[in-house]
Amino acid sequence: MNRVVEAAGRIRRLEVQGATEIAFEAIRAVVEQMKLSEASDRASALRELAEAVSILSGSRETEPCMRNSLRFLNLSVRSSDWRSLGELNELLGGTADRLLRVFSEALRKIGEIGSMRLSGGVRVLTHCHSSAVSRIFKESKARGNDFEVVCTETRPLFQGRRTARELLENGIKATMIVDSAVGYFMPDVDMVLVGCDAITSQGSVVNKVGTGLIALAARDAGVPFHVASELMKFDPETLHGAAEPIEERPSIEVWAEGPYGLVVRNPAFDVTRSALVDGLICEEGIVSLGSVVEAVRRSYPWIFEQSF
Ligand code: RUB
């Protein structure tokens, strides 16, 4: 399981960051791992696949996009009549390509739809680094829209710096603020746009810690709050009663040499209630989080199939 263990390590250490990129890494790892398989029959190949899926799924807790992608690969392998490792690998490779095309088409649409909202000199506040949000910024720039971005640092790991660099590289005006300055700047921005890691059956979104407070500040200042995300971030487990797990990361990320005895907590994500979100910019258009379950059912009905 070398290839998969290596990928899971990269995901855990945040060398691969953001829900979409994490899903891509996991998909590629499964395909490459199974190419190395020496399984002698169907049952042992399926066992290897299940082990790969389980190692990757455990690498970060709050990542339904990765889990859905792995489930799609697994469902397709289990429901097909492949007869040799060669056929299995052909099937896996084809399924992975199909999945990556689905993501790429979803991101293209998100960029196109979201860019319609970014024009006329708007100032947008964003948090963390999201490939969906970044796609909207790049598409808006390509269309010649006039807008600027305020980005938070995103403590403790400063993913906002990646966003800021990317914006400058693309010739987009960017301002960096510390996370706690969000309330101070909120009255000066026209909209908030963030990505997300998980969408629950109740329409809440889970994103980088701090997002929930930003949504409250936006509501207080009357600033629209939008989330950009592929519908593949929907977590079907939440329909069956599970709460979206929130990953808690090592305290060392917050204070590496803090005083002995100090308790440091470091949740990576938090929950924003659907009532605070004005719209979800997804591959189906801009939809309300209240109707997200139907939107997912239309686009990806297999997500609702029982777990393997
Ligand atoms: C990243 C984060 C991003 C979402 C969406 O957290 O919270 O906003 O994952 O990103 P981390 P994308 O840095 O801990 O992975 O739109 O790329 O899926």
Side-chain angles (χ1 to χ4, degrees), residues 17-20 60 128-132 159 196-197 207-208 233:
Q17 170 275 330
T20 308
R60 287 196 78 186
C128 198
H129 177 275
S130 148
S131 44
Q159 288 92 332
C196 83
D197 289 83
N207 190 46
K208 179 54 56 197
K233 310 265 181 76

Side-chain angles (χ1 to χ4, degrees), residues 11 14 16-22 60 63 65 107 127-134 154 157 159 162 194-198 206-209 211 228-230 233 247 249 268-269:
I11 292 171
L14 255 70
V16 180
Q17 170 275 330
T20 308
E21 287 180 20
I22 289 170
R60 287 196 78 186
E63 296 302 345
C65 188
L107 285 169
H127 185 51
C128 198
H129 177 275
S130 148
S131 44
V133 170
S134 147
T154 317
L157 294 178
Q159 288 92 332
R162 179 173 174 200
V194 294
C196 83
D197 289 83
V206 178
N207 190 46
K208 179 54 56 197
V209 70
T211 303
S229 168
E230 306 94 306
K233 310 265 181 76
E247 173 190 1
R249 298 190 55 87
F269 304 103

Side-chain angles (χ1 to χ4, degrees), residues 248 251-252 254-255 258-266:
E248 184 133 358
S251 59
I252 198 173
V254 176
W255 196 356
Y260 179 75
L262 178 69
V263 177
V264 176
R265 299 285 307 272
N266 185 19

Side-chain angles (χ1 to χ4, degrees), residues 199-204 234-242 289-290 292-293:
I199 303 170
T200 75
S201 58
Q202 289 162 298
S204 307
F234 178 77
D235 189 344
E237 302 298 326
T238 58
L239 257 183
H240 306 294
L289 277 160
V292 76
V293 177

